[in-house]
Amino acid sequence: MFSLSLLSHRANSTVRNALSTSHSAPTALGPLSIFTRARSQLAPRQVQHIKRHKGRVPIPIGGSTKGTTLAYGEWGIRIKGNGARLSAKQLTTAEEVIKKKIKVIKGTKVYLRVFPDIPVCIKGNETRMGKGKGTFEFWATRVPTGRVIFEIGGAPIREELARDALRQAADKLPTIMEFIDRKTPPRLGNLVLHPPKPAKVAAPEVVTEVAEAQPATA
């Protein structure tokens, strides 16, 4: 007949053996890559450091207009207001809204032009200073003014439907967006760079000589 202490001892040893075998199981990915991938759908597969400086949203003070026009689709939205830090959850929510709206048209695609690859760490409320950086909270990306966020294409889409879908997606983002198409000029910060108008060529003037009438002599 077994005693209660013997049964509890055997149960504890069984649990210890199971935990030791689970921790020693070989895996192809490192612990950091598994941790980062399981946090969100939009997340980098592997990062070197899980904590990073906060940083600032870049301000386009140079002359580059890269990323301010459409590259894949026929319609899109880009930032018109101040630059912002967009989280992975915000981008995922906006993308789901667009897909739900345009799924009635076969062959349509949604292109995401930015990707959240910056880890954001947050400390709890009423926490004393010090004790190191806060814990990882979510993934985000810093987007300046004028950067294209979403594009839709892949199949012919009416402008009314595209405007409605992208308007609903823009409502999910924390900044002012504008609707653009293939003919929209690039943007450099708050300045829209319209193409220069061709100079008007003046028509050559035709000089006509009028013969003066001479008075008749008697």
Side-chain angles (χ1 to χ4, degrees):
M1 188 173 182
F2 298 97
S3 61
L4 183 60
S5 60
L6 182 59
L7 289 175
S8 61
H9 177 71
R10 288 185 178 180
N12 292 335
S13 61
T14 305
V15 171
R16 279 194 228 100
N17 294 335
L19 291 176
S20 62
T21 54
S22 62
H23 283 299
S24 61
T27 176
L29 300 175
L32 186 57
S33 61
I34 295 175
F35 171 72
T36 57
R37 191 62 180 174
R39 298 292 285 183
S40 176
Q41 182 182 1
L42 290 178
R45 293 186 180 275
Q46 190 173 3
V47 293
Q48 186 176 5
H49 302 290
I50 193 60
K51 296 183 179 181
R52 203 179 304 180
H53 291 176
K54 181 178 180 179
R56 295 291 183 269
V57 177
I59 301 176
I61 58 176
S64 176
T65 59
K66 183 178 180 181
T68 61
T69 55
L70 298 180
Y72 306 102
E74 299 296 331
W75 315 98
I77 53 174
R78 69 182 177 187
I79 294 183
K80 183 180 180 181
N82 297 328
R85 187 176 68 179
L86 307 179
S87 65
K89 187 175 181 180
Q90 292 171 343
L91 294 174
T92 304
T93 304
E95 186 177 10
E96 290 175 354
V97 169
I98 298 176
K99 289 181 177 179
K100 184 178 180 180
K101 191 69 178 179
I102 65 175
K103 69 179 181 180
V104 295
I105 302 177
K106 186 176 181 181
T108 54
K109 296 181 180 179
V110 181
Y111 303 95
L112 179 62
R113 294 287 301 273
V114 296
F115 189 81
D117 58 347
I118 300 173
V120 178
C121 300
I122 297 179
K123 276 192 172 184
N125 296 331
E126 301 181 3
T127 305
R128 293 180 178 271
M129 297 178 64
K131 305 296 183 182
K133 193 174 177 65
T135 56
F136 172 82
E137 191 68 21
F138 59 90
W139 294 98
T141 179
R142 307 185 192 104
V143 188
T145 304
R147 182 64 59 86
V148 178
I149 306 298
F150 286 105
E151 297 183 20
I152 56 178
I157 306 175
R158 292 184 295 107
E159 182 178 357
E160 295 80 7
L161 179 60
R163 281 184 178 274
D164 191 19
L166 294 174
R167 177 190 58 81
Q168 294 182 15
D171 293 339
K172 306 296 182 183
L173 302 176
T175 184
I176 302 175
M177 313 295 292
E178 65 175 344
F179 180 81
I180 60 175
D181 56 9
R182 284 284 182 178
K183 299 180 182 179
T184 305
R187 174 183 283 270
L188 180 59
N190 294 325
L191 180 64
V192 179
L193 304 178
H194 294 281
K197 297 182 179 180
K200 295 183 179 179
V201 180
E205 298 180 357
V206 180
V207 180
T208 58
E209 296 181 356
V210 180
E212 296 180 358
Q214 296 181 356
T217 57

